[in-house]
Amino acid sequence: MTATLPRLLLGVDPDSALSLQDHLDVHGPLPSLGTGGRRLLSRRPDAGGALIEEVERAGLRGRGGASFPAASKMRAVASARGKAIVVVNATEGEPASMKDRLLLQSLPHLVLDGAVLAATAVGADEAIVCVCETNADLHSVQRAIGERRALREGVDLRFSVVPNGYVSGQESALVQHLNGGPALPTFTPPMPFQSGVQGRPTLVSNAETLAHLAMIARHGAEWYRQLGIASQPGSTLVTLSGPVAHPGVYEIEHGASLSSLIEAAGGLSATVRAVLLGGYAGTWVDARSIHGLGLSDEQLAPYGASVGAGVIALLSADACPVAETARLMQWLADQSAGQCGPCVNGLHAIAKTFAQVAAGTAGRGAAQNLARLVLLTRGRGACRHPDGAVRLAESAAQVFAEELSDHARHGACAACGRAAEFPLPAWSDPERTTRSKRTRGTAGSASKLRIGARA
Amino acid sequence: MSQRVVVNPIACTAHGMCAELLPERITLDDWGYPIVDGRPLSADLLEHARRAAEVCPTFALLLQSDGSPVRASARASQPAQPTVRNVRRRPEPVVRRQTRLDPRR
Ligand code: SF4
Ligand code: SF4
């Protein structure tokens, strides 16, 4: 095979799912499950077998956002004690991302291939496909699971619907949900690979990661590396939104330029002010930097950004970036699971400050206060949610410095009242209000209480 | 083998006792939650850290050991995981009295 695109999206029809037969016609059978050709699945006693080695050579990284090396994760599960289990993470809590939904809707067998292969490689006999409530209508997956029964692959496939929520797709939240608890992150360790679903070593893997794995198993690491760049080989799915002629999911090679992606999407239909990369809890990059911007972690690092889950959201110059960020910030604060004091208090304080700046009521020192709150919040939650959310605030402060100071001085601008360009789902969780650790008192009263305790 | 202090932010309810017993490593933020300095503990701080972990009413303060010798076996490829355990020893009487105080009263 030559180094061409599409790879994952070969034969995709957004309106219907590829049947098992169509899928096999496009991609061919799985190695060694059918043909016994490459013996990729022969397990070694030490760690997970040849497939994991192939995945390692390919340099495959997770596509759920954290970009963790897939082989390391598989190996950890394979060498942990006990019967392993695989969780296919297609919850896609990121409102601006559509790729996992597209995969399950149109190419369910590619994802299931990957699930079966990963399960076999780590010694699991069960794989659970998790989608969020919004995508609970994905009958394509259930149909595909039914179609595969005849193949007798030795891996029991199941389907599970997870409550909506920005953090409910977090690994430990999925594990807790599948164990009968709430879909909220837990304190780690134990990590899922040590003790996850039913206390078993659990491989939680994003749906796209598994689709790539299915391709690597068929074509090998060298083939995979023919696309992309050395530090980030292969292709990736991205969701492009904003003022382009054809927004949607695209498969690009890592390192492809954003300009070429925009061109492939039919070009811009309005002037762009900035682009939000990685997700809503992502990084703003100024539109002036778009020209020549390469879509790989290496090339995005100078901007503090990464490809993450492949969200590329363009904001038009007609929108008010301050109002838009303030809305996102408030939403992210509301999406805090309310379990960790620094996360829920810090994010709400940042959101509040942002709203005050947008309204021109923040007073002096708002910028310093924001910077301080960012430092106070980052890295102090049980999960990475606060870290991503403060990234949004931090990058906004840099990219929209002019607009922010303008709002701080003169209040709302003419564009502030415009309808939001970035849609926000209205998920609500009645439980959250009761379990929230949000401190209603002021900082002063908290320290006074402490003095009282000492006395 | 060095030890360091970590806090389980889900279990922590901002009682703040830990910051009083280990001010060298723990300060409190605007909302009363501990900001933990995770550098390795010296021998003299270790005792104070243990005490702080003992009095934490929600067992949110943990001592984490790392650098434990990696077993040279087939498992070597597994990412080294720091082990976390909650140090709950017999609390000393003085310390115990403090745990009964409810800072919100
Ligand atoms: S850091 Fe925030 S989102 Fe994550 S578990 Fe804690 S409260 Fe929930
Ligand atoms: S004593 Fe425990 S609950 Fe209180 S602030 Fe410290 S860690 Fe949190």
Side-chain angles (χ1 to χ4, degrees), chain A residues 243-298:
Chain A
V244 286
H246 308 290
V249 176
Y250 289 82
E251 183 172 10
I252 62 164
E253 128 176 68
H254 278 125
S257 74
L258 178 52
S259 319
S260 66
L261 174 63
I262 291 172
E263 207 174 291
L268 294 174
S269 53
T271 318
V272 167
R273 171 65 186 88
V275 56
L276 183 56
L277 294 173
Y280 278 0
T283 310
W284 285 112
V285 174
D286 200 300
R288 280 176 293 195
S289 309
I290 288 181
H291 186 75
L293 191 69
L295 296 171
S296 72
D297 290 347
E298 188 183 292

Side-chain angles (χ1 to χ4, degrees), chain A residues 37-62:
Chain A
R38 298 174 59 114
R39 298 187 57 92
L40 279 172
L41 294 169
S42 64
R43 278 195 76 199
R44 296 205 196 151
D46 54 351
L51 178 62
I52 298 180
E53 273 170 34
E54 198 70 14
V55 169
E56 183 162 52
R57 269 197 295 275
L60 178 64
R61 285 171 176 272

Side-chain angles (χ1 to χ4, degrees), chain A residues 79 341 372 380 437 443 450 453, chain B residues 9-10 12 28-30 33-34 101:
Chain A
S79 51
R372 195 184 68 88
R380 292 185 59 218
K437 277 188 184 157
R450 212 159 45 76
Chain B
I10 295 180
C12 171
L28 298 180
D29 68 12
D30 295 20
Y33 291 92
L101 284 172

